Amino acid sequence: MSSISELYQSVILDHNRSPKNYRRMADGNCTANGRNPLCGDELTVWLKLDGERIEDAAFEGSGCAISRASASLMTTAVKGKTRPEAEELFDRFHRLVTGRLPGDEVASLGKLAVFSGVSAYPVRVKCASLPWHTFKAALDAPAGAARQQPIA
Ligand code: ZN
């Protein structure tokens, strides 16, 4: 089965080398920062929400290959989804990386399944889930709303 893990590894390395959606989003309406002190990963996630639908997602930051690849695949996966669909996907992804997703459900995650191997490495679980936690924080922190806070 080494060819499968090699394939997974090459997907992660590809996304680390040339991550998708790696840019600062000027017209996003939600944003959050995330940090994983265990590894030193840091990233910012931007979202453009149209009502309940995620129109666009982007990120920037520095970190290890796992966190960058995860952010690349996460931003790709949530684009076009509604908030409940994306939250359900996060739940399934989180169960995957913590080794709690039944084997027959792994394929339903598509490319995100490349992270199934991290469940054996607790430190790496944090790297893979950081972009998703940051995404969730962005969903709950509309940038517009924050700017509208009255200045005391
Ligand atoms: Zn990391």
Side-chain angles (χ1 to χ4, degrees), residues 17-67:
R17 210 175 300 128
S18 37
K20 305 259 190 283
N21 310 307
Y22 190 86
R23 64 188 158 85
R24 187 170 289 268
M25 194 192 289
D27 60 345
N29 48 18
C30 293
T31 187
N33 299 305
R35 237 178 117 241
N36 171 18
L38 280 180
C39 178
D41 308 315
E42 284 187 26
L43 83 162
T44 304
V45 169
W46 288 272
L47 301 173
K48 190 176 171 186
L49 258 74
D50 178 14
E52 282 289 279
R53 189 165 295 275
I54 299 152
E55 290 248 294
D56 202 4
F59 80 102
E60 257 188 9
S62 59
C64 66
I66 302 265
S67 71

Side-chain angles (χ1 to χ4, degrees), residues 32 45 47 83 87 90 131-141:
V45 169
L47 301 173
R83 176 192 288 256
E87 285 174 344
F90 176 29
W132 287 87
H133 285 296
T134 311
F135 160 70
K136 190 95 196 302
L139 272 183
D140 296 334

Side-chain angles (χ1 to χ4, degrees), residues 57-135:
F59 80 102
E60 257 188 9
S62 59
C64 66
I66 302 265
S67 71
R68 279 166 65 94
S70 180
S72 172
L73 284 156
M74 179 278 288
T75 47
T76 305
V78 300
K79 244 191 246 190
K81 291 207 163 37
T82 62
R83 176 192 288 256
E85 283 168 351
E87 285 174 344
E88 194 276 331
L89 189 62
F90 176 29
D91 178 65
R92 243 184 308 151
F93 180 81
H94 197 254
R95 282 188 288 139
L96 173 83
V97 295
T98 52
R100 292 179 293 123
L101 192 70
D104 58 350
E105 284 185 44
V106 171
S108 70
L109 280 167
K111 278 192 178 171
L112 295 172
V114 298
F115 293 100
S116 61
V118 305
S119 63
Y121 309 94
V123 173
R124 291 308 188 190
V125 171
K126 302 229 185 265
C127 300
S129 48
L130 174 70
W132 287 87
H133 285 296
T134 311
F135 160 70

